[in-house]
C-alpha cells in the first residue's frame, strides 16, 4: 500500500468524488428543521427521526442561498426552473379552474437550495465519525435533513376530484375561473412561514387569519417536503478508511516536523 503521506487525499476531498451522500425523501414527512441531523429509530412499523443537533452547531454557514420556481400544468413534466428570489411581500400565483378539459392539475414548487454544498461535505467528512461514535452509531446511521441542499414548497390545484359529501353542489355553476395562492414573505429569521401561503378567491392579499375553504370538486394543497441525506454502509466504511489515512498522514507530517525542529536546535 502506498504511504499515506504520499496520497493526495485533500485533492480527493475537493473533487466530486467526495460527494458520497445520497438524497432521499422522508416517508412519511417528519417534524425536522432544515439541516437538523440525527438518526432513524424503528418503533413497531415506523421509523422515527431522532434529532441529535443541527449542522450549524458544528459547521460554519456559508450564507449562500438561492431560490427558484417550478411550474407544472395539466399534470405534465415540470417546466424548467427559473431564478426566483423569495418575495419580500405577499405575491399571488394564479391557478386556472376551467373544467372544459375534464381533470386538470396545476402545481407550483418554490425550491430553496444551497448552491455550494461545501457545508455538507464538511459535515460528512469532518464530523459524522465523532457524532456516530458519541451516540453509539455507525456513520451510515447519521442522516442530515433537507439535503440534497433543498427544501420544496408545493402548492397545487387539482380539478376533478370527488366533492366532499358536505359540499353544496348547487353552487358548482358559480365556480370561479381561477383561484390564487398567496405566497407569504420570509420570517425575520430567514425561514419560510408555516404554512408558507394561503388560498384565496382574490388576487389581492388579505389580512389574516386565513381560514381554509372548499371548492366543489377541487383539491387545494399547500405543503412542504424535505429530503434527507445519508451515506451507504460501503460509503461510510470508505469515509472512515480515508479519514484514517488522513490522520496517519498528519501524524507522520507532525512527527517529521518535530524531528526537523530538534535537529535544528542541536545545530545551535
Amino acid at each position: 500500500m502506498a504511504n499515506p503521506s504520499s496520497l493526495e487525499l485533500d485533492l480527493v476531498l475537493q473533487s466530486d468524488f467526495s460527494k458520497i451522500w445520497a438524497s432521499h425523501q422522508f416517508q412519511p414527512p417528519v417534524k425536522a428543521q432544515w439541516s437538523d441531523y440525527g438518526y432513524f429509530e424503528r418503533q413497531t412499523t415506523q421509523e422515527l427521526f431522532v434529532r441529535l443537533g443541527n449542522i450549524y452547531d458544528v459547521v460554519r454557514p456559508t450564507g449562500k442561498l438561492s431560490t427558484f420556481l417550478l411550474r407544472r400544468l395539466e399534470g405534465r413534466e415540470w417546466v424548467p426552473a427559473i431564478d426566483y428570489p423569495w418575495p419580500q411581500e405577499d405575491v399571488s400565483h394564479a391557478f386556472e379552474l376551467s373544467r372544459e378539459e375534464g381533470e386538470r392539475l396545476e402545481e407550483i414548487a418554490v425550491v430553496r437550495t444551497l448552491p455550494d454544498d461545501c457545508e455538507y461535505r464538511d459535515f460528512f467528512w469532518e464530523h459524522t465519525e465523532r457524532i456516530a461514535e458519541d451516540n453509539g452509531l455507525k456513520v451510515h446511521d447519521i442522516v442530515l435533513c433537507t439535503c440534497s441542499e433543498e427544501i420544496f414548497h408545493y402548492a397545487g390545484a387539482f380539478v376533478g376530484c370527488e366533492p366532499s359529501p358536505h359540499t353544496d353542489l348547487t353552487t358548482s355553476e358559480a365556480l370561479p375561473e381561477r383561484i390564487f395562492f398567496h405566497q407569504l414573505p420570509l420570517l425575520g429569521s430567514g425561514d419560510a412561514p408555516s404554512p408558507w401561503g394561503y388560498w384565496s378567491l382574490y388576487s389581492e392579499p388579505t389580512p389574516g387569519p386565513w381560514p381554509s375553504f372548499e371548492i366543489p370538486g377541487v383539491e387545494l394543497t399547500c405543503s412542504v417536503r424535505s429530503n434527507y441525506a445519508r451515506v451507504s454502509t460501503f460509503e461510510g466504511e470508505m469515509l472512515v478508511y480515508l479519514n484514517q489515512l488522513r490522520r496517519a498522514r498528519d501524524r507522520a507530517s507532525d512527527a517529521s516536523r518535530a524531528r526537523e525542529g530538534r535537529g535544528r536546535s542541536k545545530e545551535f
Side-chain angles (χ1 to χ4, degrees), residues 26 30-32 35-43 46-54 123-124 128 130-145 228-231:
F26 283 109
V30 301
K31 293 182 178 179
S35 296
D36 281 349
Y37 66 82
Y39 64 97
F40 290 126
E41 182 179 80
R42 177 164 291 279
Q43 296 186 1
Q46 289 186 330
E47 282 191 327
L48 301 181
F49 175 74
V50 179
R51 183 185 185 276
L52 294 176
N54 188 277
F123 174 77
F124 279 101
T128 52
R130 177 190 56 78
I131 292 171
E133 182 176 352
D134 290 348
N135 292 278
L137 303 169
K138 299 292 186 181
V139 170
H140 64 262
D141 292 325
I142 303 299
V143 300
L144 177 62
C145 297
Y228 69 90
R230 73 190 313 171
V231 298

Side-chain angles (χ1 to χ4, degrees), residues 3-94:
N3 187 331
S5 62
S6 67
L7 296 176
E8 297 292 343
L9 294 175
D10 292 333
L11 291 179
V12 172
L13 296 185
Q14 294 169 9
S15 70
D16 288 342
F17 176 79
S18 66
K19 299 178 183 179
I20 59 175
W21 58 88
S23 179
H24 312 268
Q25 191 170 85
F26 283 109
Q27 297 293 341
V30 301
K31 293 182 178 179
Q33 298 297 316
W34 185 338
S35 296
D36 281 349
Y37 66 82
Y39 64 97
F40 290 126
E41 182 179 80
R42 177 164 291 279
Q43 296 186 1
T44 61
T45 60
Q46 289 186 330
E47 282 191 327
L48 301 181
F49 175 74
V50 179
R51 183 185 185 276
L52 294 176
N54 188 277
I55 184 176
Y56 298 122
D57 297 336
V58 295
V59 171
R60 176 179 297 179
T62 63
K64 298 177 181 178
L65 184 70
S66 63
T67 309
F68 57 90
L69 174 69
L70 294 167
R71 181 176 289 273
R72 179 165 65 171
L73 302 177
E74 304 295 342
R76 302 191 185 104
E77 295 295 324
W78 291 97
V79 175
I82 60 173
D83 288 336
Y84 179 78
W86 195 289
Q88 297 182 358
E89 298 179 349
D90 184 311
V91 170
S92 64
H93 302 272

Side-chain angles (χ1 to χ4, degrees), residues 218-252:
V218 180
E219 180 183 0
L220 303 175
T221 60
C222 172
S223 63
V224 178
R225 303 174 196 172
S226 57
N227 294 344
Y228 69 90
R230 73 190 313 171
V231 298
S232 68
T233 302
F234 170 76
E235 291 161 341
E237 292 175 350
M238 181 181 65
L239 180 151
V240 171
Y241 174 69
L242 291 180
N243 276 345
Q244 289 174 344
L245 295 184
R246 293 171 65 198
R247 289 190 288 267
R249 177 204 59 186
D250 293 342
R251 286 194 297 269

Side-chain angles (χ1 to χ4, degrees), residues 181-195:
F181 180 79
H182 290 267
Q183 180 182 350
L184 297 172
L186 296 176
L187 303 175
S189 63
D191 297 322
S194 180

Side-chain angles (χ1 to χ4, degrees), residues 78-225:
W78 291 97
V79 175
I82 60 173
D83 288 336
Y84 179 78
W86 195 289
Q88 297 182 358
E89 298 179 349
D90 184 311
V91 170
S92 64
H93 302 272
F95 289 74
E96 301 296 328
L97 298 184
S98 171
R99 303 215 176 182
E100 297 178 357
E101 302 174 359
E103 291 188 353
R104 175 185 176 89
L105 173 67
E106 186 170 344
E107 293 179 287
I108 62 169
V110 178
V111 185
R112 307 185 75 198
T113 177
L114 289 167
D116 187 348
D117 55 15
C118 63
E119 296 176 4
Y120 301 95
R121 181 187 288 109
D122 187 6
F123 174 77
F124 279 101
W125 283 97
E126 305 296 338
H127 300 283
T128 52
E129 273 191 279
R130 177 190 56 78
I131 292 171
E133 182 176 352
D134 290 348
N135 292 278
L137 303 169
K138 299 292 186 181
V139 170
H140 64 262
D141 292 325
I142 303 299
V143 300
L144 177 62
C145 297
T146 66
C147 220
S148 56
E149 307 85 53
E150 295 173 331
I151 185 166
F152 297 82
H153 299 77
Y154 289 97
F158 173 56
V159 179
C161 69
E162 288 294 327
S164 166
H166 305 292
T167 301
D168 182 5
L169 297 179
T170 60
T171 63
S172 59
E173 294 183 357
L175 290 178
E177 293 184 356
R178 62 182 58 87
I179 194 171
F180 301 89
F181 180 79
H182 290 267
Q183 180 182 350
L184 297 172
L186 296 176
L187 303 175
S189 63
D191 297 322
S194 180
W196 64 285
Y198 63 94
W199 290 98
S200 174
L201 296 174
Y202 307 101
S203 61
E204 295 298 321
T206 57
W210 304 284
S212 60
F213 62 93
E214 291 186 358
I215 298 179
V218 180
E219 180 183 0
L220 303 175
T221 60
C222 172
S223 63
V224 178
R225 303 174 196 172

